[in-house]
Amino acid sequence: MEPDLFTAAAEDRQEREPGNSPLAVRMRPRVLDEVVGQQHLLKQGSPLRRLVGEGSGGPAGPSSVILWGPPGTGKTTLAYVVSKATNKRFVELSAITAGVKEVRAVIESAKRQSGGYDRETVLFLDEIHRFSKAQQDSLLPAVENRWVTLIAATTENPYFSIISPLLSRSLLLTLEPLTDDDLRGVLHRALTHERGLGGAVSLPADAEAHLLRIAGGDARRALTALEAGAGSAIAKGEEEISLSTLEESVDRAAVKYDRDGDQHYDVASALIKSIRGSDVDATLHYLARMIEAGEDPRFIARRLMISASEDVGLADPGALQTAVAAAQAVAMIGFPEARIILSQAAIALALAPKSNAAYLAIDAALADVRKGLAGPVPPHLRDGHYKGAAKLGHAQGYRYPHDLPGAIAAQQYAPDEVHGRRYYEPTRYGAEARYADVLDRVRERLAGE
C-alpha cells in the first residue's frame, strides 16, 4: 500500500528510536551500494540500477523484474532500496493478503498518476507464487503497457509458479544464497554500525562460526540470531556474545563440524559407511549432523547417489532412481523441506539389500584396460555401413541376436586379449539374485554350450 499518515509516523519513529525495530529491519540497506552479495545483479546499467534512476534515460525504460531466490537473500531489501532511492511512486502488495481487487485498484491509480501527473508507478508484489493464474493474469495489461513497473519476489521456481505470459514480459533475476563471507560482512556491520548494536558487544570467532551455520545463507536469520545473543549478553553484563550465551539464546547447540575441514569428510564418510552397514539409525544421526551444521544439501544428495550405485547397485535397481529423484527435488526445494527428502532417500538406501558388484565390475574392467588389455575389436563387430567395409571383412559373419531364439547369439564380443574374462560377479542379495541366475544362462549361451 502507499504510505499513509500512520505508516509515515511509524517510519519516523524507527528513525528516532531504532531500538524499537528488529535488528534486521534497522540494518536493511538504504542504497544499492550497501547491498551485500548479488553483485551480478548490481552492475552498472543493470535493470535494478535503472529502476532507482541510474542511467534510466533514453528510449528504453526500466523493465519489470521477477526476483527469484531463497529466503534471506535480499529480495525484499532490493525492493526497499528501490522504494527509497527512486522518485517514482512506490506501492507494495503481498500476494498473501492482496487479491485481484487490490491489484486493479493499484493499476487504475497508476494510470491516473501517469496521465494526470506524468508520474510512474513501481509495484512491489511479494510472494507472487501465491497468486493464482487468474490473479497473475490481472497484471498482464499493466506490465505490457508499462502502466506499472513490476518488481515481483518469489522463493519458488518461477517456471512452475508464474504464468508464461508474465514471465515473457519481465526480466527474471536469480538471487544466489549468500556466502559465509557475505554474511560475515553483514554481522560485522551490524555489530559496529550506529543503526545496529553500535559496538555494545563483540562476537568471538567460535560464536561467529555458529551464527554462520545457523544462518544457512539467510541474512535475516543471521541478524535475528545475533540480536537474540546480543540481548542475552547485555542482560548478563557481558562485553562479548560467548558461544554458550549464543547457544542459550537461539536454543541451538553448536555442532562441531567444519564444512571445509576434516570433520566435513569424517561425518560424510560415517554417513555412507552407516548406509553400507544397513544401520538406519546411525545413518539418520549423521544426516542430522550434516543438516544442522548447514551442509549444502546438494553435497549430501550427491553422496547418496554415489552410495546408491556403489553399495546397493543391482540388489535394488530402484535405489539409484530414488537417490536421483531426491537430488532433483533438493535442488528445486532447498532447506528446510529438503531434510525430509534426504531422510527418505537415506532410509531407503540404508534398508536396501546391498551389492558392490557393479562397483567391482567396472574397476576390474578398468584395471585390464590400463594394463593394455585392449585389443582390436573383432572383425564381425566392426562398423559395416560405409562403402568398402565388406572388402575389409567388417561386419561379416555377425549374427543378429533378434533373429535367434532367446535373442542370444553364440559369438565372440570381447577382444581376444580379454575374451573369457569375467568382470561382473553378481551377489545373491535382493533383486540381484535374479541377475545372477540370468547371467549364468546367458554366459552358457554365448559360449555355445
Side-chain angles (χ1 to χ4, degrees):
M1 297 286 190
E2 292 188 82
D4 56 20
L5 180 63
F6 300 103
T7 303
E11 290 180 348
D12 287 343
R13 188 183 181 196
Q14 284 185 4
E15 296 286 343
R16 296 193 314 269
E17 305 174 47
N20 289 315
S21 301
L23 181 61
V25 173
R26 304 201 307 268
M27 294 308 302
R28 181 173 284 161
R30 298 181 178 183
V31 295
L32 286 180
D33 289 337
E34 290 183 0
V35 174
V36 174
Q38 317 308 337
Q39 295 307 304
H40 62 295
L41 302 179
L42 300 175
K43 297 176 182 177
Q44 195 65 33
S46 66
L48 290 175
R49 288 201 177 273
R50 296 177 66 215
L51 274 172
V52 300
E54 297 181 18
S56 58
S63 301
S64 292
V65 297
I66 295 172
L67 303 175
W68 172 34
T73 52
K75 298 182 296 298
T76 304
T77 291
L78 289 171
Y80 177 82
V81 169
V82 171
S83 73
K84 288 293 184 183
T86 184
N87 56 6
K88 302 177 179 66
R89 173 172 170 263
F90 189 89
V91 182
E92 179 178 353
L93 293 177
S94 171
I96 298 175
T97 56
V100 172
K101 179 181 177 182
E102 288 78 7
V103 170
R104 286 177 176 164
V106 170
I107 294 171
E108 289 303 315
S109 177
K111 289 161 69 175
R112 290 195 299 270
Q113 290 285 331
S114 176
Y117 304 99
D118 195 26
R119 189 182 181 200
E120 298 178 29
T121 297
V122 175
L123 169 61
F124 174 56
L125 182 57
D126 202 9
E127 306 281 351
I128 188 174
H129 56 270
R130 294 180 180 268
F131 262 10
S132 67
K133 181 179 182 298
Q135 290 173 312
Q136 292 183 35
D137 279 336
S138 68
L139 292 164
L140 291 177
V143 172
E144 184 161 15
N145 293 293
R146 203 169 281 171
W147 296 330
V148 300
T149 300
L150 176 68
I151 303 177
T154 179
T155 56
E156 295 192 5
N157 190 327
Y159 293 104
F160 296 105
S161 59
I162 298 177
I163 60 174
S164 297
L166 188 56
L167 276 177
S168 69
R169 290 163 172 79
S170 310
L171 290 176
L172 177 61
L173 304 181
T174 304
L175 283 74
E176 301 294 338
L178 298 180
T179 66
D180 281 356
D181 285 340
D182 291 334
L183 290 177
R184 195 174 284 111
V186 169
L187 293 174
H188 290 179
R189 187 164 178 269
L191 284 164
T192 58
H193 199 280
E194 59 183 8
R195 295 207 317 262
L197 299 173
V201 288
S202 61
L203 185 68
D206 56 350
E208 179 183 279
H210 186 35
L211 267 178
L212 295 177
R213 282 193 293 266
I214 291 170
D218 186 327
R220 189 183 302 109
R221 189 183 303 164
L223 290 172
T224 300
L226 174 63
E227 185 173 28
S232 294
I234 293 171
K236 293 179 180 179
E238 299 172 349
E239 296 183 353
E240 70 172 21
I241 307 172
S242 66
L243 179 60
S244 60
T245 296
L246 185 60
E247 288 178 306
E248 293 169 4
S249 304
V250 299
D251 195 26
R252 290 274 293 274
V255 180
K256 294 181 178 179
Y257 185 95
D258 180 2
R259 279 178 282 177
D260 299 316
D262 290 343
Q263 291 185 358
H264 165 83
Y265 296 103
D266 288 345
V267 176
S269 174
L271 171 69
I272 299 306
K273 288 172 180 172
S274 297
I275 291 173
R276 185 178 300 145
S278 300
D279 189 331
V280 68
D281 300 304
T283 294
L284 288 168
H285 167 78
Y286 291 117
L287 176 62
R289 281 174 63 169
M290 296 174 82
I291 292 172
E292 186 68 9
E295 182 59 82
D296 186 341
R298 296 169 299 180
F299 170 79
I300 302 173
R302 288 194 294 269
R303 302 306 302 175
L304 295 180
M305 285 192 288
I306 295 169
S307 178
S309 280
E310 180 179 351
D311 298 315
V312 179
L314 292 172
D316 182 356
L320 181 58
Q321 297 173 6
T322 297
V324 170
Q328 292 173 336
V330 162
M332 292 174 60
I333 296 172
F335 283 141
E337 289 82 0
R339 77 190 190 284
I340 309 167
I341 297 161
L342 292 171
S343 173
Q344 177 184 341
I347 291 170
L349 296 181
L351 296 181
K354 303 299 188 294
S355 170
N356 67 346
Y359 164 66
L360 295 177
I362 188 59
D363 280 0
L366 284 169
D368 275 356
V369 170
R370 289 165 182 162
K371 291 175 186 175
L373 298 178
V377 174
H380 61 283
L381 297 184
R382 297 178 190 175
D383 182 17
H385 289 88
Y386 62 91
K387 187 176 181 180
K391 293 181 180 179
L392 297 174
H394 292 187
Q396 301 303 300
Y398 172 66
R399 303 181 69 194
Y400 189 56
H402 295 292
D403 291 339
L404 301 170
I408 297 176
Q411 60 187 345
Q412 180 178 335
Y413 288 94
D416 290 339
E417 285 79 355
V418 293
H419 181 54
R421 295 181 74 88
R422 296 188 172 188
Y423 298 118
Y424 178 49
E425 296 295 343
T427 70
R428 291 281 174 179
Y429 302 132
E432 198 164 35
R434 180 175 62 84
Y435 288 91
D437 293 335
V438 169
L439 182 57
D440 288 340
R441 295 195 298 270
V442 168
R443 282 174 172 164
E444 290 173 359
R445 295 282 299 276
L446 289 172
E449 297 174 5

